[in-house]
Amino acid sequence: MEEEERQKNGLELIASENFVSPTIRSVCGSVLTHKYAEGYPGKRYYGGCEVVDKIEHEVQEQFKALFQAEYVNVQPHSGSSANLAVYFASLKPGDTILGMDLAHGGHLTHGSSVSISGKWFHAVSYTVDRISHTIDFDDVRAKLAKHRPKILIAGASSYSRIIDFAAFRTLADEFDTLLLVDMAHIAGLVAAGLHPSPVEHAHFVTSTTHKTLRGPRGGIILMGKDFDNPFGVVAQKSGRTKRMSELLDASIIPGIQGGPLLHIIAAKGVCASEAATPAFVQYQHQVCANAQALAEACESKGMMAVSGGTDNHIVLLDLRSQKITGRDAERILDSVGITVNKNMIPYDPNGPLTTSGIRLGTPAVTTRGMKETDMHTIAELISRTLQGDDLDSIRKTVREFASHFPLFLEVSEEVYAK
């Protein structure tokens, strides 16, 4: 397949992509894809669900244990679906939500005007500091005081520093708002104990199961200590009191989805079991070490890392000193087999379709077995490409370099057990 060859022969630096284990791939293609099972374990609209009921219940328990959660819904098809379900369960159209500005590292589903989150709700946004490029909590407080949102959203898609969830919860409590944390990008780091967990602080936590968590493409919703808290966790519906967990379940089915993808849910379970191993913790340490090495190596080549570096798997580069836009950088790097995405930098003078930066991530190359010294090689290849060196020569070098870190048919389970 062309796509398999592209992945094997190139360098995957998209921060939201990873390579799953052979076991996860096989479960995704298993006979579970045949089963329709609208509803939840013990409450299905179809017969023949006794086996998938056991599977889904077990996967729920695995994620509860992994993230020390009291509630989990494993049916969301994506992180975006998970976020929409939280809105659907706790808001009415026109309610105000406050999330990180997309141009400063937020996500489309945190209130962007082109997303349903920005079309159905009155969305306002907070920013990062102009100098440090870290979250401006003074701005968060000011926006909370001015707009009194129903939900405050923490989490990002291109933010490379630790997020202080305790500080967000303090502000949420002060202004009587619900706190939603979208940990899609950092879920693997949270599972490994390398980033503070949001579960003990947030009313709701959503995540994808791919990215750093290295599972199949999909989403989850979690709740922790506020599982039984009357503030925002229960509501009056149809003349009786319903727990927020019931409202969240109903917001997925029949609210925004139909039948769950049982083959993906089972693969999520494999993902949770892999994430509970010492090898996974070791992997996440290497992800972070590689990101720091990549940021330092890129800066040594004159490419500035936004916020001065990284605490996680993301390196956001400001390319203005290289006299090239993010859009052009993405295109030329792709031509030599280095896959990145154009990305806005804070206070970007260019628009979202052009951008002044690119976003790099280390989960996928770390899964292939690359270490810090390899990040220096990658930075050198990126620099040479952007400076206009011989692209044919670089393309051959990338292919040769990638061949030392085999994927798919050549790779064994030991890559995921190291």
Side-chain angles (χ1 to χ4, degrees):
M1 292 174 56
E2 287 184 56
E3 177 59 17
E4 183 174 318
E5 289 300 308
R6 186 193 70 82
Q7 292 181 24
K8 287 196 301 185
N9 297 324
L11 298 176
E12 184 55 74
L13 294 176
I14 300 233
S16 51
E17 295 189 8
N18 211 333
F19 301 114
V20 301
S21 68
T23 303
I24 289 177
R25 289 179 67 199
S26 66
V27 173
C28 286
S30 71
V31 296
L32 291 171
T33 194
H34 303 151
K35 188 71 193 89
Y36 218 110
E38 283 188 352
Y40 292 94
K43 299 178 181 179
R44 304 288 191 185
Y45 294 93
Y46 288 80
C49 292
E50 58 274 10
V51 175
V52 296
D53 276 4
K54 289 189 290 186
I55 291 172
E56 184 169 345
H57 176 73
E58 176 60 26
V59 176
Q60 290 170 339
E61 294 304 310
Q62 287 177 296
F63 278 104
K64 286 180 183 179
L66 182 65
F67 291 112
Q68 298 299 296
E70 298 295 327
Y71 162 90
V72 62
N73 189 309
V74 296
Q75 291 196 11
H77 298 334
S78 66
S80 295
S81 295
N83 286 341
L84 182 58
V86 171
Y87 302 149
F88 197 89
S90 57
L91 301 173
K92 296 186 291 293
D95 282 347
T96 299
I97 62 175
L98 173 62
M100 179 183 276
D101 192 316
L102 179 63
H104 290 224
H107 189 260
L108 283 170
T109 59
H110 299 174
S112 171
S113 61
V114 298
S115 160
I116 192 171
S117 62
K119 294 180 183 294
W120 276 20
F121 307 107
H122 174 230
V124 290
S125 57
Y126 56 86
T127 62
V128 298
D129 181 80
R130 283 186 175 273
I131 297 174
S132 68
H133 293 158
T134 57
I135 293 169
D136 186 344
F137 278 98
D138 288 337
D139 187 49
V140 177
R141 174 184 287 277
K143 298 291 174 55
L144 283 167
K146 180 178 180 180
H147 299 284
R148 299 285 174 167
K150 293 290 183 66
I151 284 186
L152 169 63
I153 307 161
S157 64
S158 57
Y159 185 76
S160 61
R161 294 303 186 178
I162 295 291
I163 300 176
D164 189 344
F165 299 125
F168 271 105
R169 179 55 187 260
T170 297
L171 288 172
D173 287 345
E174 180 180 346
F175 290 95
D176 291 335
T177 186
L178 295 168
L179 175 60
L180 163 62
V181 171
D182 180 344
M183 67 170 184
H185 262 275
I186 57 172
L189 304 180
V190 170
L194 301 184
H195 190 292
S197 173
V199 176
E200 62 181 295
H201 302 293
H203 295 95
F204 313 103
V205 176
T206 59
S207 181
T208 54
T209 47
H210 42 289
K211 303 186 176 78
T212 55
L213 202 53
R214 203 165 66 177
R217 298 189 65 85
I220 54 174
I221 305 170
L222 307 162
M223 284 197 295
K225 69 177 184 178
D226 289 300
F227 182 64
D228 287 320
N229 188 324
F231 173 58
V233 183
V234 296
Q236 292 291 332
K237 292 278 184 174
S238 303
R240 77 176 185 91
T241 299
K242 284 192 175 182
R243 294 183 182 276
M244 183 55 78
S245 57
E246 294 180 89
L247 299 180
L248 285 171
D249 284 349
S251 71
I252 290 291
I253 167 70
I256 63 171
Q257 292 184 180
L261 309 176
L262 268 305
H263 56 306
I264 300 300
I265 288 174
K268 290 175 185 178
V270 179
C271 161
S273 67
E274 291 178 353
T277 64
F280 186 80
V281 175
Q282 181 182 345
Y283 162 70
Q284 295 297 343
H285 277 285
Q286 191 63 56
V287 166
C288 293
N290 282 352
Q292 291 165 10
L294 183 59
E296 292 168 3
C298 286
E299 287 211 311
S300 74
K301 302 294 182 183
M303 297 171 281
M304 189 183 81
V306 172
S307 82
T310 180
D311 298 322
N312 56 30
H313 62 298
I314 293 172
V315 179
L316 183 60
L317 294 180
D318 181 346
L319 296 181
R320 288 177 293 177
S321 65
Q322 306 298 298
K323 309 301 182 184
I324 189 171
T325 66
R327 178 179 60 191
D328 289 342
E330 177 189 297
R331 177 186 54 76
I332 194 170
L333 286 167
D334 193 53
S335 75
V336 299
I338 302 174
T339 308
V340 306
N341 65 272
K342 61 182 178 292
N343 211 100
M344 294 186 74
I345 61 173
Y347 305 99
D348 200 323
N350 291 315
L353 297 181
T354 303
T355 82
S356 298
I358 54 174
R359 185 186 66 164
L360 312 180
T362 55
V365 290
T366 305
T367 291
R368 293 185 75 159
M370 297 181 196
K371 300 293 195 297
E372 292 93 328
T373 55
D374 302 307
M375 299 304 105
H376 289 270
T377 299
I378 291 173
E380 173 70 21
L381 291 168
I382 290 173
S383 178
R384 286 177 55 197
T385 302
L386 298 185
Q387 290 172 3
D389 283 3
D390 184 346
L391 297 185
D392 286 335
S393 173
I394 296 173
R395 189 178 301 110
K396 292 176 182 177
T397 302
V398 167
R399 189 183 183 95
E400 169 64 21
F401 178 66
S403 71
H404 295 294
F405 306 93
L407 267 177
F408 307 129
L409 298 180
E410 299 89 345
V411 76
S412 68
E413 293 275 4
E414 67 184 30
V415 169
Y416 299 88
K418 286 180 180 177

